[in-house]
Amino acid sequence: MAAPMRIRQPRNFRDRKDVLNELSDAELIKRYRLDRAGIMLVTDLVRERITNQTERSRAVTPEMKVLVTLRYLATGKMQLSSGDDLGPSQQTGSRVITETLFALSRNEILSQYFKFPVTLENCHTKAVDFQQIAGFPGVIGTIDGTHVRITAPKEFEAEYVNRKRYHSINVQVVFDATYRILDIVARWPGSVHDARILRESALNQVVFGRGMVPDGYHLLGDSGYPCKKWLLTPYLRPQPGPQSDYNRAHKKTRNVVERGIGQLKRRFHVLHGEIRVTPTAKVCQIIKVCAMLHNICKDRNIRIPAPEDIDEPAEDIEEDYDNAPQAVQQPPLPPVAPRPREGLLYRDEFVNLHFDNDE
């Protein structure tokens, strides 16, 4: 007896919302952190790479792929970004996010939005902006590290445990006085010290190491960094007078990087919680794409939505997670090589020249 013929059931598709035409710019910013023109700008950056090579009527459009990705970055919630808002299934949403992040994180895209000042004109402009904060001259950027929490990786797991005893990527970031990101390094495990990340970075080895930045312009960093002619750090035990004045101005000016990191993590909540994707290379893509999108928001004068206007919790996000589980005993920081006297002597001369009001 022949088996009964199976009747193929028609596929049921979810309706896909036309949010670009249904929502106002204010509502788009609340949900996706960009206005309509900004969303189209990002889509056009990667349109050729994320357009499906198919004539199926239900193929996910490049615009939809970018919207799903932006929603994920804004909330950190994969299910909310794919199923609740835009129509695609959870599986489709995960796939298009991976595809879109890969396209956006290419160097030829990122390099358009991270511009470190190397010309005299650009350095002067940055320095003028910083000097208005606390009178500290010659500053073109403030540098710091921030930890982005990740799930425990399968390989080299111990290397990703930071001093607060959770797994993370330690991200080096430089902000200008307008809270725009000038440079970002997102590839080091959480156990790696800030000083080593700087030592191995292009900033140290190429930009400043090869003299691309004019003399007299500096970055400001905390005491975890070595003091250099181009990287000024605070005095650990300042003397009353010029050194104390220098430290006060240094702290107020350097706070730009801490506030900038807070802005970045409030804008893209995926960076505030635990990023549950593997491998870690995908996490680094997420971090760099968020930084690029932050700069696009700055270019378009798009403010961070107020806490009452966003779907995520409104915690005050600092450079580290204050609510992270604390270890009973903090592990010691790795030993740091003695600081070159050249940088310390330069700092003394700088202080005497710019902060000694008696001269």
Side-chain angles (χ1 to χ4, degrees):
M1 181 176 178
M5 183 180 296
R6 298 181 64 182
I7 300 175
R8 186 176 181 180
Q9 297 295 323
R11 297 177 65 185
N12 294 320
F13 295 98
R14 297 183 184 182
D15 291 334
R16 293 175 179 170
K17 299 178 181 178
D18 185 12
V19 297
L20 287 176
N21 291 317
E22 292 178 6
L23 302 181
S24 66
D25 274 345
E27 191 68 21
L28 289 171
I29 292 170
K30 172 184 173 182
R31 290 173 177 261
Y32 309 107
R33 302 302 189 259
L34 286 169
D35 56 9
R36 186 181 188 280
I39 292 168
M40 296 307 300
L41 182 153
V42 173
T43 304
D44 288 340
L45 288 174
V46 293
R47 183 179 298 278
E48 292 184 4
R49 286 187 172 266
I50 64 174
T51 298
N52 288 338
Q53 301 302 315
T54 178
E55 296 181 358
R56 291 184 304 168
S57 61
R58 297 296 301 183
V60 183
T61 66
E63 289 81 3
M64 184 65 67
K65 291 180 179 181
V66 169
L67 285 168
V68 170
T69 303
L70 290 175
R71 186 63 173 157
Y72 166 64
L73 299 178
T75 65
K77 300 174 183 178
M78 187 78 69
Q79 184 174 3
L80 177 63
S81 67
S82 58
D84 293 351
D85 272 336
L86 301 171
S89 66
Q90 173 89 14
Q91 183 179 9
T92 301
S94 177
R95 175 177 56 80
V96 302
I97 289 170
T98 297
E99 178 187 9
T100 307
L101 287 171
F102 181 80
L104 285 170
S105 62
R106 290 177 298 127
N107 286 334
E108 56 264 39
I109 300 295
L110 297 176
S111 62
Q112 297 178 43
Y113 294 95
F114 300 124
K115 302 290 186 181
F116 199 87
V118 293
T119 68
L120 191 61
E121 180 181 3
N122 288 342
C123 288
H124 175 74
T125 299
K126 300 294 184 189
V128 169
D129 290 341
F130 271 112
Q131 192 159 0
Q132 294 176 357
I133 297 174
F136 203 111
V139 179
I140 59 174
T142 54
I143 185 171
D144 204 356
T146 184
H147 288 268
V148 174
R149 185 190 294 265
I150 63 172
T151 55
K154 295 180 180 179
E155 296 183 346
F156 310 108
E157 180 267 343
E159 295 183 8
Y160 289 87
V161 179
N162 63 29
R163 62 185 177 87
K164 289 193 173 183
R165 299 295 195 187
Y166 63 86
H167 298 87
S168 68
I169 300 292
N170 191 358
V171 183
Q172 175 180 285
V173 62
V174 180
F175 280 86
D176 70 10
T178 66
Y179 302 100
R180 200 176 192 280
I181 297 172
L182 302 178
D183 185 77
I184 189 166
V185 178
R187 64 185 181 91
W188 290 91
S191 66
V192 179
H193 194 269
D194 291 353
R196 182 188 173 191
I197 297 175
L198 175 65
R199 185 171 67 247
E200 302 290 337
S201 71
L203 277 181
N204 178 57
Q205 298 184 359
V206 179
V207 177
F208 287 100
R210 297 181 184 176
M212 295 176 63
V213 176
D215 290 340
Y217 292 102
H218 322 87
L219 298 179
L220 297 189
D222 63 24
S223 56
Y225 292 105
C227 190
K228 298 174 177 287
K229 284 188 173 182
W230 52 268
L231 174 57
L232 295 175
T233 61
Y235 286 94
L236 296 179
R237 291 176 290 276
Q239 299 296 316
Q243 291 185 6
S244 294
D245 293 341
Y246 164 92
N247 266 22
R248 281 191 291 270
H250 185 286
K251 180 179 181 180
K252 188 173 181 180
T253 308
R254 198 191 69 83
N255 277 345
V256 165
V257 70
E258 297 179 357
R259 292 193 294 268
I261 291 169
Q263 286 188 19
L264 174 64
K265 291 182 176 180
R266 282 193 295 272
R267 194 186 298 274
F268 297 106
H269 200 73
V270 68
L271 301 179
H272 179 47
E274 181 179 76
I275 301 182
R276 298 176 180 177
V277 302
T278 57
T280 54
K282 288 186 179 180
V283 178
C284 296
Q285 288 178 358
I286 289 172
I287 296 168
K288 288 184 284 189
V289 169
C290 285
M292 179 192 72
L293 294 171
H294 171 85
N295 279 355
I296 291 176
C297 290
K298 289 295 181 181
D299 292 344
R300 301 187 60 78
N301 295 316
I302 296 175
R303 298 176 63 86
I304 302 172
E308 62 270 17
D309 291 334
I310 60 179
D311 300 322
E312 307 84 55
E315 296 97 341
D316 186 19
I317 303 167
E318 299 296 338
E319 58 185 305
D320 267 330
Y321 297 102
D322 292 333
N323 60 347
Q326 297 293 312
V328 175
Q329 183 177 2
Q330 294 290 339
L333 293 176
V336 179
R339 298 185 176 186
R341 290 294 302 167
E342 182 181 22
L344 300 177
L345 291 173
Y346 177 84
R347 182 178 63 185
D348 290 340
E349 294 173 358
F350 181 88
V351 170
N352 291 333
L353 177 62
H354 295 288
F355 291 89
D356 190 350
N357 297 323
D358 293 336
E359 293 186 358

